[in-house]
Amino acid sequence: MPQMGESIAEGTLSKWLKKVGDEVKRDEPIFEISTDKVDAEIPAPASGVLAEILVKEGETVEVQTVVARLETEKGAAIGKTAPPATSGVVAGSEPKSTTPAAPATPAPQREGTPSPAQPRQPSPAPAIAASHTGNGNSFEDRVRTKSSPLVRKIAAEHGVNIASLQGSGIAGRVTKRDIIGFIESGAPAPAAAPGMRGAGPPSAHPLPLPEAWPGDVVEPMSKMRALISDHMVASRHTSAHVTSFIEIDFTRVARIRARKRSEFEAATGQKLTYMPFIIKAVTQGIQAFPIMNSSVAGTNVIYRKQINIGIAVALEWGLIVPVIKHADDLSLSGITRALNDLAARARAKKLSPEEVQEGTFTITNPGVFGSLMGTPIINQPQVAILGVGAIEKRPKVLPGADGEDTIAIRTCAYFSISFDHRVIDGAIADQFLAFVKKTIESFPETGL
């Protein structure tokens, strides 16, 4: 199971595309994974036969867990206890050598199966950077006690407060094995705080859950939707959200795009939309206001040198945010090519985990569906997210050459910026928006 995004310590194997006994080729999709950051097909690391499936569909496991084994010798028997040449399929990992090697240590026990001889106690949390500790209110501190929906459900059923446990997962995350081991140990269960379910934020479920009425249809959330829910609620409880708005005149960009569109698309093979112009303006705005490209680590602020722009892409089954790395180094045509490629592969479930990681600033575009404006939630651990409203023609009052006001038809849009008031003041956020506005409204003809 790969590391599929910052602060994601586990993932769900949502679907097997092959069954035991099937032949697979290297780089052929073998299963699908799902988190709040990526819903992707994972390729086989080597050619061979799928000999054993270790993780079932719908099961959530920690990153780097081996999920299956491949027989890499042609004709090797299926189902041997210790096949002479197998390749452990760890989603997203580099292909491993098929040369047999003597095991150095016994195989680790699978998650959710405590030892019958001695119930497993949660081990102490691994040490993390000092800048990520302290008051317990930072995003990194919350991640240490965050857990999967299954673990939170088990904890709620047994009245255990996950926040009081030290887990054995990455950054001290409480795993299924930890919670089962704790319950079976017979130790007194720390009571959950009022209003808490598992390790969720204190007010995540302050009211009784609604009941279904006759005729209602009840469907479980998809794994992606459940994780998006957790991520969004955690973000609201982490950052002090404030949103500002501004109106931007796209008339100049619209005219440039209309004049250059055919020539640009013939030269690059790429469809030219408004979004590359917006990304270009945002990268310049970040260079002028570096705090917009930062992260909060306890009482420290990390100023990111890389400008990696995440673009929210709506899918039929959820939402995904692929990242354009080093966007400030790209020309408008380079941004267009990267944007179109990532969006197409996101919808086809062809993104690799690395392509949804390390974003430093996010842009979401609800305007494509006709929305005029919105107040997007910050994509942690970032500190700001830009919302783009519908770009449409409107009547505007403009000063005439003779000093008299006139009414003209202009192409305009409302932009919003949701920012973390812990580190960004309203004046800075508004200056950033004004900079983006000025950059778009004065975009040079030679900018293509």
Side-chain angles (χ1 to χ4, degrees), residues 109 194 222 231 271 315 370 386:
Q109 192 174 4
S222 67
H231 196 59
K271 183 179 179 181
L315 308 173
L386 184 78

Side-chain angles (χ1 to χ4, degrees), residues 1 13 16 31 52-56 61 65-69 88-91:
M1 184 60 62
L13 197 155
W16 279 103
F31 62 90
E52 185 181 10
I53 289 177
L54 303 176
V55 175
K56 298 178 181 178
V61 295
T65 297
V66 176
V67 300
R69 298 192 186 281
V89 182
V90 180

